[in-house]
Amino acid sequence: MKEREQDNHSDFIRDIVKDDLASGRSQNIHTRFPPEPNGYLHIGHAKSICLNFGVAREFGGLCNLRFDDTNPVKEEDEYVRAIREDVKWLGFDWEDREYYASDNFDRLYDYAIQLIKEGKAYVDDLSADEIREHRGTLTDQGRESPFRDRSVAENLDLFERMNKGEFGDGEKVLRARIDMSSGNMNMRDPVMYRILHEDHHRSGDKWCIYPMYDWAHGQCDSIEGITHSLCTLEFEDHRPLYNWFIEQLNIHYPKQIEFARLNMSYTVLSKRRLVELVDKGHVSGWDDPRMPTIAGMRRRGYPPESIRNFCDRIGVAKRDSMVDIALLEFCVREVLNKTAPRVMAVLNPLKVVITNYPDGGSEELDAINNPEDESMGSRKVPFSKVLYIEKDDFMEDPPKKFFRLAPGREVRLRYAYFITCNEVIKDPVTGDILELHCTYDPATRGGDAPDGRKVKATLHWVSAEHSLDAEVRAYDHLFLKEDLAQKRSQRCIQSGHRGYW
Ligand code: ATP
Ligand code: MG
């Protein structure tokens, strides 16, 4: 099993991991999946989950689940529970290694003190707007804050007082003292701590200063002993900053490797956008079956195996691309084809009367439960004089390529008989087709003609008298527009299950 998995997976990240093991740079492999608990997981996260847990498993290592909960305002326990459930459902196990960035708040505070003492961090009184303005642009250097050269003693005192709650939100921040002229904007004295008088979902009211994501992420990786920190491309420019922090603190170095995010047609993969759909009531919730969330896909009936297979197929690369949602649907059908029992159902019925079948007669025919899995056996399907077929399976005046039922044409009813359409009965006023009159060939019982004659189509059907009412939920894509990145529009959301408009 293990060998097969390794054979199946090959990409630039696995090559790096292999090299690091071979050269002795890494003794073991330790990865993590680090969601921010500010929304439900989507199929893009599934890519990251499969990669992080997959790499760990293939190379005999470990993968942690870490909640990146540095922002008290947007994070909730509901999301933590949903994320746990989704990762488990996808088939991955973090065992007892469930960590939170907030577990490290004390440690991060101590690290900050260490940097202040070494003159590598300072308290700044500039407002958020002023800091932005001082930061410069890609073409213009930044300007140093007038508070940049405060003494270590003053910085220590102010930072402690920030922590004690002596200042209001936004009055002061702690910044790293790096280089305001750096070509990399992330290195221009980034903010490490901000004041937020907000309760946190885990630490309660213990803190009123909170670490920025960029100050927390790398150190959390380091504290957990992560060897390979796999993240998406937008963090490439942050890597020098993460490395700078690790070097100044002289702590375990996690190697960051970036890969391309998953983008998919007809949907959005951004929690910010998805939360908007939920909050504004455009969908019924995070698990609305049209949502690209794991919870939505579960509710829609997607097997977890199909999502894992999809992630294997798309692979990991460095270049951004758009994956066709049809590939995901193919992966779902591939698994369901092997596992789902079949039944016949007619969604849009057209009545068919078998004129040469005895009035009031019926019989039972054998239908195979799954053509791809013999062990699933067969079932009896009732057949009688009046049947329903799908409206789309008949055309009065068919074009060349239409092989299904038409006047004068013979087709197979699956597991039943060949039938021939002799007459089309219409509403005299509207001209709508009301029913078809057909004859059946009793010699073709079970679906084959003893004389070897062939038909070009096999239709599904139900016996009108024996059929059961059913509620069928037919879902289409969440958006009508294929590439939402081109022009963002909320107007093309479907209104109902199928609502094309
Ligand atoms: P979003 O933009 O949806 O909010 P995010 O990156 O902010 O996504 P996180 O909770 O921080 O969401 O993501 C957890 C992990 O999942 C990160 O390592 C992130 O890189 C990865 N991830 C998120 N979206 C995708 C995606 N579309 N494709 C691949 N990986 C993703
Ligand atoms: Mg994020």
Side-chain angles (χ1 to χ4, degrees), residues 179-229:
D179 180 4
M180 289 307 290
S181 64
S182 172
N184 183 338
M185 303 280 283
N186 294 300
M187 302 296 275
R188 295 185 187 173
D189 291 10
V191 174
M192 295 163 60
Y193 274 95
R194 73 262 208 230
I195 300 171
L196 272 177
H197 289 270
E198 296 278 352
D199 285 0
H200 184 277
H201 77 124
R202 280 173 68 86
S203 58
D205 63 1
K206 178 173 176 190
W207 299 92
C208 62
I209 56 169
Y210 289 95
M212 299 299 288
Y213 180 86
D214 275 352
W215 164 240
H217 189 79
Q219 278 62 260
C220 289
D221 278 345
S222 175
I223 291 167
E224 290 176 27
I226 300 305
T227 57
H228 295 80
S229 174

Side-chain angles (χ1 to χ4, degrees), residues 132-381:
R132 205 169 305 123
E133 195 249 317
H134 274 70
R135 239 180 131 209
T137 63
L138 285 175
T139 46
D140 290 321
Q141 289 195 2
R143 280 180 298 132
E144 294 185 352
S145 163
F147 303 98
R148 197 174 195 260
D149 293 321
R150 277 178 162 149
S151 70
V152 167
E154 189 182 3
N155 280 318
L156 279 175
D157 173 60
L158 287 172
F159 187 53
E160 271 160 28
R161 285 164 57 197
M162 276 168 68
N163 186 35
K164 280 191 196 135
E166 287 187 25
F167 307 109
D169 289 2
E171 259 185 66
K172 290 190 179 354
V173 291
L174 183 73
R175 296 176 73 176
R177 197 169 186 281
I178 309 180
D179 180 4
M180 289 307 290
S181 64
S182 172
N184 183 338
M185 303 280 283
N186 294 300
M187 302 296 275
R188 295 185 187 173
D189 291 10
V191 174
M192 295 163 60
Y193 274 95
R194 73 262 208 230
I195 300 171
L196 272 177
H197 289 270
E198 296 278 352
D199 285 0
H200 184 277
H201 77 124
R202 280 173 68 86
S203 58
D205 63 1
K206 178 173 176 190
W207 299 92
C208 62
I209 56 169
Y210 289 95
M212 299 299 288
Y213 180 86
D214 275 352
W215 164 240
H217 189 79
Q219 278 62 260
C220 289
D221 278 345
S222 175
I223 291 167
E224 290 176 27
I226 300 305
T227 57
H228 295 80
S229 174
L230 312 179
C231 63
T232 37
L233 282 178
E234 67 270 26
F235 291 102
E236 197 166 15
D237 290 346
H238 297 237
R239 179 162 23 100
L241 172 60
Y242 297 172
N243 289 347
W244 188 86
F245 283 139
I246 296 286
E247 278 159 28
Q248 306 312 310
L249 296 168
N250 196 21
I251 54 178
H252 165 79
Y253 167 74
K255 185 183 214 170
Q256 175 172 310
I257 311 169
E258 305 87 14
F259 63 95
R261 299 176 80 81
L262 170 66
N263 300 301
M264 206 161 62
S265 57
Y266 296 106
T267 197
V268 281
L269 298 183
S270 148
K271 277 183 283 183
R272 209 157 37 84
R273 290 263 144 63
L274 295 174
V275 84
E276 207 177 316
L277 294 179
V278 173
D279 286 349
K280 292 188 177 164
H282 294 300
V283 293
S284 66
W286 284 99
D287 67 346
D288 186 304
R290 294 165 299 171
M291 290 279 271
T293 51
I294 309 291
M297 291 180 183
R298 178 165 58 237
R299 195 169 153 202
R300 193 169 168 140
Y302 285 16
E305 186 189 353
S306 65
I307 298 176
R308 292 196 304 267
N309 291 349
F310 170 76
C311 293
D312 283 352
R313 275 219 174 80
I314 56 173
V316 269
K318 270 271 183 203
R319 187 136 36 99
D320 266 321
S321 67
M322 167 80 77
V323 174
D324 191 338
I325 199 168
L327 179 63
L328 174 63
E329 291 162 350
F330 168 82
C331 292
V332 173
R333 273 195 297 273
E334 191 182 42
V335 173
L336 289 179
N337 265 338
K338 284 189 226 130
T339 54
R342 311 293 206 277
V343 290
M344 290 198 282
V346 171
L347 300 189
N348 201 4
L350 173 61
K351 191 170 165 187
V352 170
V353 179
I354 311 291
T355 51
N356 60 338
Y357 198 81
D359 287 337
S362 74
E363 65 190 293
E364 288 195 322
L365 298 159
D366 287 314
I368 292 166
N369 284 333
N370 187 339
E372 296 194 22
D373 182 357
E374 221 177 285
S375 72
M376 292 179 78
S378 65
R379 66 189 185 283
K380 298 286 183 195
V381 179

Side-chain angles (χ1 to χ4, degrees), residues 420-435:
T420 304
C421 176
N422 304 308
E423 207 181 332
V424 182
I425 312 295
K426 292 185 183 173
D427 184 309
V429 180
T430 62
D432 291 345
I433 297 173
L434 298 178
E435 58 184 59

